Amino acid sequence: EPEVTQTPSHQVTQMGQEVILRCVPISNHLYFYWYRQILGQKVEFLVSFYNNEISEKSEIFDDQFSVERPDGSNFTLKIRSTKLEDSAMYFCASSREGTDTQYFGPGTRLTVL
Amino acid sequence: GEDVEQSLFLSVREGDSSVINCTYTDSSSTYLYWYKQEPGAGLQLLTYIFSNMDMKQDQRLTVLLNKKDKHLSLRIADTQTGDSAIYFCAEIDSGAGSYQLTFGKGTKLSVIP
């Protein structure tokens, strides 16, 4: 069964450094998403992406964040200058259509020191 | 904004039924979901229900939706130790043109052998 994959599983970085989190969505899906879960808190929506552009973003997704689909398979989340409060589990998800079920990857745990 | 609330913990004996409850505030929710998260793993879709349904059954899982009270429940029959996980309720209001999932904080289910 096809699944969403994410790399790396764990990323440790220094405050102020740039990080890129990578995701490979399910191959016939058209909508892509990033969510994050700070330890002990709710899973929060960051951004959705369709047809090579952002379709929706939350207040969390400020200028420090960007997303890209650099080729036909990868979907990336870049954090330009990481802050301590960016430490969280970041989940990628994809769906065939916007109204369809979103399937999640296993997550990348980002630790900012 | 939308809010989804769940109780944080539930403990049941193996073989008993588990009922995990969720309340939501968005009266125009179109889809409601249950996701399961095992330790160190991603979010696994368990089941979902469309807002015009009252009940959905899928093997050991039964979802009940009370739209008047904005209450969703997940019943797991014959609970097994492998069901120990965190269960997240989530809703989407695709009628508003938004495809972002709003999650509850998750209910940690502990199954006692």
Side-chain angles (χ1 to χ4, degrees):
Chain A
E1 187 176 314
E3 56 185 22
V4 177
T5 59
Q6 290 185 242
T7 53
S9 56
H10 191 188
Q11 173 97 43
V12 181
T13 190
Q14 294 289 328
M15 192 169 56
Q17 294 296 304
E18 175 184 285
V19 294
I20 298 176
L21 309 183
R22 290 183 166 78
C23 168
V24 179
I26 294 172
S27 63
N28 62 347
H29 285 189
L30 302 177
Y31 286 77
F32 314 118
Y33 312 84
W34 284 101
Y35 291 81
R36 79 170 185 193
Q37 184 183 29
I38 295 173
L39 189 64
Q41 297 188 25
K42 293 186 178 187
V43 177
E44 301 171 290
F45 170 79
L46 292 178
V47 65
S48 60
F49 191 85
Y50 169 71
N51 200 25
N52 277 322
E53 59 183 32
I54 291 173
S55 51
E56 197 174 5
K57 62 181 180 179
S58 71
E59 291 173 354
I60 303 166
F61 194 87
D62 61 21
D63 292 343
Q64 292 298 312
F65 291 90
S66 62
V67 288
E68 194 178 28
R69 188 149 161 86
D71 52 44
S73 59
N74 288 283
F75 179 52
T76 62
L77 174 70
K78 183 194 289 187
I79 309 174
R80 256 178 278 283
S81 177
T82 49
K83 304 189 280 285
L84 295 176
E85 54 264 38
D86 293 327
S87 294
M89 182 75 94
Y90 288 79
F91 292 107
C92 174
S94 70
S95 63
R96 270 186 315 164
E97 300 289 341
T99 53
D100 274 350
T101 301
Q102 295 177 26
Y103 292 89
F104 284 75
T108 292
R109 179 166 297 284
L110 176 66
T111 302
V112 182
L113 303 175
Chain B
E2 300 85 0
D3 198 17
V4 177
E5 295 292 336
Q6 301 176 241
S7 52
L8 296 182
F9 301 99
L10 177 66
S11 185
V12 299
R13 292 209 172 273
E14 190 174 15
D16 288 350
S17 291
S18 308
V19 179
I20 302 170
N21 294 301
C22 168
T23 57
Y24 58 96
T25 58
D26 187 356
S27 58
S28 54
S29 296
T30 47
Y31 289 91
L32 295 124
Y33 299 86
W34 285 102
Y35 285 87
K36 176 183 179 182
Q37 185 180 36
E38 296 182 45
L43 297 167
Q44 173 197 351
L45 175 71
L46 280 181
T47 187
Y48 65 93
I49 189 167
F50 189 53
S51 58
N52 68 354
M53 297 167 66
D54 297 323
M55 187 183 94
K56 181 177 180 182
Q57 188 150 4
D58 185 1
Q59 298 182 335
R60 290 192 298 124
L61 305 178
T62 303
V63 179
L64 295 177
L65 176 60
N66 180 330
K67 288 183 285 295
K68 176 173 163 290
D69 295 337
K70 297 178 194 167
H71 182 266
L72 181 75
S73 68
L74 173 70
R75 179 176 179 269
I76 306 172
D78 187 25
T79 313
Q80 303 297 306
T81 53
D83 295 323
S84 292
I86 299 176
Y87 290 80
F88 291 93
C89 170
E91 64 92 21
I92 197 166
D93 178 10
S94 60
S98 167
Y99 304 134
Q100 62 174 280
L101 285 166
T102 300
F103 283 84
K105 262 194 159 182
T107 299
K108 184 172 183 178
L109 174 65
S110 299
V111 182
I112 305 163

